Amino acid sequence: MIKIIAVLCSLSSPADCREQIVTTSDFADVTMQSCLMGVPQLAEWMAQHPAERLAAWRCMIGKQEARRGA
């Protein structure tokens, strides 16, 4: 399983950042190569969450959960 984990910061409170699993290869066509290049799923997810800023993202293989307070 490949997960796309985004580091999101609130626009109203820029120091308030967290990690969020955006999608996994279980639900979308995600390969490690597409994840590393910045997959369209990130843009789609961000369009649905306009109150947040994408600070970074990473790709993860396996079942580890996202961390709080990135």
Side-chain angles (χ1 to χ4, degrees):
M1 176 191 311
I2 299 172
K3 294 180 184 179
I4 301 169
I5 301 175
V7 177
L8 304 168
C9 300
S10 170
L11 291 178
S12 61
S13 179
D16 181 20
C17 297
R18 70 186 187 337
E19 288 188 344
Q20 172 78 37
I21 296 172
V22 174
T23 191
T24 69
S25 56
D26 287 346
F27 301 108
D29 185 23
V30 179
T31 65
M32 188 54 96
Q33 181 178 0
S34 68
C35 186
L36 293 171
M37 292 174 23
V39 294
Q41 287 90 346
L42 276 171
E44 182 180 325
W45 197 92
M46 291 306 300
Q48 297 171 7
H49 299 85
E52 298 182 292
R53 175 183 62 86
L54 178 65
W57 82 86
R58 62 188 169 96
C59 306
M60 176 172 286
I61 297 174
K63 297 188 180 281
Q64 182 178 340
E65 295 300 318
R67 300 177 299 226
R68 288 285 299 165

